Amino acid sequence: MFPPETVILVVDDSEVIRESVRKELLAIGYKAIIEADDGKKALALLEGASNTSSPVGLVISDWNMPNMTGLEFLKKIRATPKWVNLPFVMLTSASQISEVVDAISAGVSTYVVKPLDGKTIKTKLAGVWAKHHP
Ligand SMILES: [Mg+2]
């Protein structure tokens, strides 16, 4: 499982969703949570943190956002050598299930269908950690 000090970048244009993800992560024991409300700002935060002693270790991102969608954000990340293996969890709505294949081919680690619940997030994160640390 991701260690408790993991820096987690939560990206969603909905403040309510960001707050609910933060709450679930805090309940699991994660405290180093940073937030952005679109892919563009998230990319800037990711880059800013990458040369510090606490780079982002996990991205949890919404799909539908202004300026840069979650899928575009994911593609930028996977096109950057240092982030090829950065764990990336996509938040999707139930109506988007048919598009999930696009995220999978773009290299998403896993996806979570909203609304979120704490148990699902914990299970998904454990799976993602295992996938990235075989
Ligand atoms: Mg959205």
Side-chain angles (χ1 to χ4, degrees):
M1 187 55 154
F2 290 92
E5 65 274 16
T6 302
V7 177
I8 304 177
L9 172 58
V10 176
V11 192
D12 200 304
D13 54 323
S14 158
E15 195 180 344
V16 174
I17 301 279
R18 290 202 309 275
E19 198 46 51
S20 101
V21 175
R22 175 187 283 271
K23 226 176 93 187
E24 300 299 351
L25 292 173
L26 285 170
I28 299 171
Y30 298 109
K31 293 184 184 74
I33 302 163
I34 55 177
E35 297 179 17
D37 63 6
D38 68 39
K40 214 170 163 182
K41 287 175 199 153
L43 202 56
L45 277 181
L46 195 59
E47 183 57 50
S50 73
N51 294 318
T52 69
S53 55
S54 44
V56 173
L58 167 66
V59 176
I60 300 178
S61 176
D62 184 29
W63 190 316
N64 288 317
M65 296 181 291
N67 303 320
M68 187 190 288
T69 67
L71 187 60
E72 289 165 340
F73 178 41
L74 171 64
K75 286 177 176 172
K76 294 242 184 226
I77 286 178
R78 289 296 182 251
T80 305
K82 62 184 167 186
W83 296 326
V84 163
N85 202 32
L86 177 66
F88 190 110
V89 176
M90 188 80 85
L91 303 177
T92 68
S93 55
S95 61
Q96 266 184 318
I97 290 301
S98 62
E99 297 167 55
V100 160
V101 62
D102 297 334
I104 292 169
S105 61
V108 78
S109 305
T110 194
Y111 62 95
V112 176
V113 180
K114 294 186 276 188
L116 311 149
D117 75 86
K119 203 180 158 196
T120 303
I121 292 193
K122 201 170 176 179
T123 307
K124 290 275 186 176
L125 292 189
V128 169
W129 173 263
K131 189 173 182 174
H132 286 268
H133 300 83

